[in-house]
C-alpha cells in the first residue's frame, strides 16, 4: 500500500516513525514550511521533515494544497492512502479524492469534542477527566469526518500538556497502525455535530492566571499551558512566570496572599506558587519573590 504522510510537529513525527518501523511504504511526506526562530531567525526544520530525510523519503512543503501544482505533486505519488497527523492545513476536495482508500487523520481528542488545533491542551484546561485519540476519515470540514477508531485515556492529576502529548502520540501511533491494517473493513461512525466543541489555537494570553477560577481549574490551566505559552500572573504591570504550582487547602478572597510561601486564594480554595520567574530575572521560590517585592500575608496580587 502506497502511503503519503502529512504532518509537521513532534506529535506527527511519532506517527510517521511508527509507520516506517512497521514497514509501510511511505512514498512522500508533506509538512509545513521551515520557520525562522530565535533572535537570529535561524530556520527550524519540522520534526517530520527531519525524520523523513533521515529515511530518504521525499519531502514536500507547499504553502497550500489548493494550488493545482501541489495537487499534481500528490497525484504523481499515486497514493493508495493519505495519512495526516497535526498537518495544520485543510485538505481540499481535489486532494481528498486522490487516494483509492481515502484520507485518514489522527486527532488528539475524543471527537466530536475538541475539534481544532489544541485539543490536548484544552482538555486539560477545561478540567476534563478523560481524553483520547480518534482516527477519522477526513472531509472538507475541520475534524468533521466519520470516526474509525477511538482510544480513551484518563488525564493524570498532575499531568501537563507535554506529558499528555507524549502519551497520546504513542497511543495514536498504535491506533493508526490498527486502522491502516483494517482500512478495508472498518466502518465509519458519523459524528454528532450537535455535541461538537472547538479547541482554538493557544495564544500567549491563554496562560494568564488571575485567580478567579477554582483552585482545581487554576492548576489545570497551569498544566494545560505547559510548556507553551506558559502560565503567568501580572505584578506591577510585569509578567511573572509560574514554573511550579500546587493546590492548597487554605481559603481567602480571590488574589489574596495567604501565607509566606506565596499561597494565593482562588474562587474556591487556593494555590501555592512554589517557583516563579519575574520578568527579566531568574527563577526563585515563592517566599523569595515575596521578600523581594516586600509582600506579606493579606496583600493581593494584581492588578488584574
Amino acid at each position: 500500500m502506497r502511503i503519503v504522510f502529512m504532518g509537521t510537529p513532534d506529535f506527527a513525527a511519532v506517527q510517521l516513525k511508527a509507520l516506517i518501523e512497521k514497514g509501510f511504504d511511505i512514498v512522500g511526506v508533506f509538512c509545513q514550511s521551515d520557520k525562522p526562530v530565535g533572535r537570529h531567525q535561524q530556520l527550524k526544520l519540522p520534526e517530520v521533515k527531519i525524520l523523513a530525510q533521515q529515511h530518504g523519503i521525499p519531502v514536500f512543503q507547499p504553502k497550500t494544497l489548493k494550488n493545482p501544482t501541489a495537487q499534481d505533486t500528490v497525484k504523481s505519488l499515486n497514493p493508495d492512502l493519505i495519512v495526516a497527523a497535526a498537518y495544520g492545513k485543510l485538505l481540499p476536495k481535489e486532494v481528498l479524492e486522490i487516494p483509492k482508500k481515502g484520507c485518514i487523520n489522527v486527532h488528539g481528542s475524543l471527537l466530536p469534542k475538541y475539534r481544532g488545533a489544541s485539543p490536548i491542551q484544552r482538555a486539560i484546561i477545561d478540567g476534563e477527566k478523560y481524553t483520547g485519540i480518534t482516527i477519522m476519515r477526513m472531509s472538507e470540514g475541520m475534524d468533521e469526518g466519520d470516526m474509525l477508531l477511538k482510544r480513551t485515556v484518563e488525564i493524570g492529576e498532575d499531568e501537563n500538556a507535554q506529558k499528555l502529548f507524549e502519551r497520546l502520540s504513542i497511543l495514536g501511533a498504535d491506533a493508526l497502525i490498527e486502522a491502516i491494517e483494517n482500512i478495508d473493513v472498518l466502518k465509519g461512525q458519523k459524528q454528532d455535530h450537535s455535541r461538537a466543541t472547538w479547541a482554538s489555537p493557544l495564544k500567549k494570553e491563554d496562560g494568564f492566571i488571575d485567580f478567579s477560577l477554582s483552585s482545581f481549574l487554576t492548576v489545570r490551566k497551569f498544566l494545560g499551558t505547559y510548556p507553551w505559552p506558559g502560565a503567568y500572573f501580572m505584578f506591577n504591570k510585569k509578567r511573572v512566570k509560574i514554573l511550579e504550582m500546587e493546590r492548597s487547602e487554605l481559603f481567602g478572597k480571590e488574589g489574596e496572599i495567604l501565607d509566606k510561601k506565596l499561597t494565593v486564594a482562588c474562587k474556591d480554595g487556593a494555590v501555592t506558587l512554589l517557583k516563579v520567574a519575574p520578568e527579566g530575572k531568574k527563577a526563585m521560590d515563592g517566599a523569595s519573590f515575596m521578600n523581594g517585592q516586600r509582600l506579606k500575608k493579606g496583600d493581593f496580587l494584581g492588578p488584574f
Side-chain angles (χ1 to χ4, degrees), residues 48 67 70 82 200 235 276:
V48 162
N67 188 306
I82 289 178
S200 59
F235 185 77
V276 299

Side-chain angles (χ1 to χ4, degrees), residues 187-246:
K187 294 182 179 180
Q189 177 186 355
K190 293 192 176 300
Q191 296 187 41
D192 181 352
H193 300 301
S194 68
R195 294 178 55 243
T197 60
W198 183 249
S200 59
L202 288 179
K203 305 185 293 266
K204 287 186 177 181
E205 293 73 23
D206 287 318
F208 176 50
I209 303 289
D210 64 1
F211 309 103
S212 64
L213 301 172
S214 68
S215 59
F216 170 73
L217 287 178
T218 299
V219 170
R220 280 301 193 94
K221 191 171 188 179
F222 165 72
L223 294 170
T225 55
Y226 181 89
W228 196 91
Y232 68 94
F233 65 91
M234 299 299 296
F235 185 77
N236 287 340
K237 298 182 179 181
K238 292 186 177 181
R239 293 191 181 201
V240 181
K241 294 180 181 178
I242 304 172
L243 305 179
E244 293 182 22
M245 175 194 288
E246 67 180 13

Side-chain angles (χ1 to χ4, degrees), residues 1-302:
M1 186 189 309
R2 295 173 61 84
I3 296 176
V4 164
F5 185 88
M6 297 183 175
T8 300
D10 47 2
F11 180 89
V14 174
Q15 318 304 310
L16 177 58
K17 182 180 179 182
L19 298 186
I20 292 171
E21 291 179 348
K22 193 68 176 178
F24 287 110
D25 184 15
I26 312 298
V27 297
V29 163
F30 285 70
C31 60
Q32 294 201 39
S33 303
D34 304 348
K35 291 186 177 181
V37 296
R39 182 182 301 175
H40 301 293
Q41 293 292 281
Q42 292 183 328
L43 285 179
K44 177 177 172 57
L45 276 60
E47 296 295 327
V48 162
K49 179 178 181 178
I50 294 171
L51 180 62
Q53 290 179 334
Q54 289 173 348
H55 288 84
I57 301 172
V59 176
F60 307 92
Q61 296 174 279
K63 292 184 179 180
T64 176
L65 290 174
K66 296 178 181 179
N67 188 306
T69 302
Q71 294 168 13
D72 288 341
T73 300
V74 178
K75 289 178 183 177
S76 70
L77 295 170
N78 191 29
D80 296 301
L81 180 71
I82 289 178
V83 173
Y87 180 39
K89 296 180 186 294
L90 284 173
L91 274 59
K93 182 180 179 182
E94 291 81 2
V95 173
L96 292 171
E97 293 178 344
I98 291 173
K100 306 174 186 66
K101 298 181 184 294
C103 305
I104 61 175
N105 180 59
V106 185
H107 187 71
S109 80
L110 299 174
L111 291 171
K113 296 188 73 171
Y114 299 108
R115 295 173 176 172
S118 58
I120 297 173
Q121 301 98 315
R122 296 290 181 187
I124 296 175
I125 291 170
D126 289 351
E128 297 283 354
K129 187 174 182 179
Y130 297 97
T131 188
I133 288 290
T134 303
I135 309 296
M136 51 167 284
R137 286 199 177 276
M138 300 181 72
S139 64
E140 291 182 74
M142 176 69 76
D143 301 324
E144 295 179 1
D146 292 353
M147 303 175 292
L148 299 176
L149 284 176
K150 278 188 176 182
R151 296 289 181 268
T152 302
V153 297
E154 186 172 2
I155 299 175
E157 184 177 344
D158 300 316
E159 191 167 26
N160 60 42
Q162 179 173 301
K163 292 179 181 177
L164 188 55
F165 257 99
E166 293 170 357
R167 222 163 36 107
L168 289 180
S169 63
I170 296 171
L171 185 69
D174 290 341
L176 175 60
I177 289 171
E178 181 179 343
I180 294 174
E181 291 177 339
N182 295 278
I183 194 67
D184 293 327
V185 296
L186 284 174
K187 294 182 179 180
Q189 177 186 355
K190 293 192 176 300
Q191 296 187 41
D192 181 352
H193 300 301
S194 68
R195 294 178 55 243
T197 60
W198 183 249
S200 59
L202 288 179
K203 305 185 293 266
K204 287 186 177 181
E205 293 73 23
D206 287 318
F208 176 50
I209 303 289
D210 64 1
F211 309 103
S212 64
L213 301 172
S214 68
S215 59
F216 170 73
L217 287 178
T218 299
V219 170
R220 280 301 193 94
K221 191 171 188 179
F222 165 72
L223 294 170
T225 55
Y226 181 89
W228 196 91
Y232 68 94
F233 65 91
M234 299 299 296
F235 185 77
N236 287 340
K237 298 182 179 181
K238 292 186 177 181
R239 293 191 181 201
V240 181
K241 294 180 181 178
I242 304 172
L243 305 179
E244 293 182 22
M245 175 194 288
E246 67 180 13
R247 293 179 73 183
S248 167
E249 298 301 321
L250 299 178
F251 286 89
K253 298 179 180 178
E254 293 174 17
E256 181 184 4
I257 298 175
L258 303 176
D259 63 16
K260 295 181 180 180
K261 297 187 297 182
L262 194 55
T263 297
V264 186
C266 302
K267 181 179 180 181
D268 174 18
V271 294
T272 301
L273 309 185
L274 299 169
K275 184 180 289 186
V276 299
E279 194 172 315
K281 295 184 179 181
K282 294 182 179 180
M284 62 186 73
D285 59 39
S288 298
F289 176 78
M290 287 184 65
N291 291 334
Q293 300 297 331
R294 297 182 180 179
L295 289 167
K296 62 184 183 300
K297 179 180 177 181
D299 288 342
F300 285 78
L301 291 183

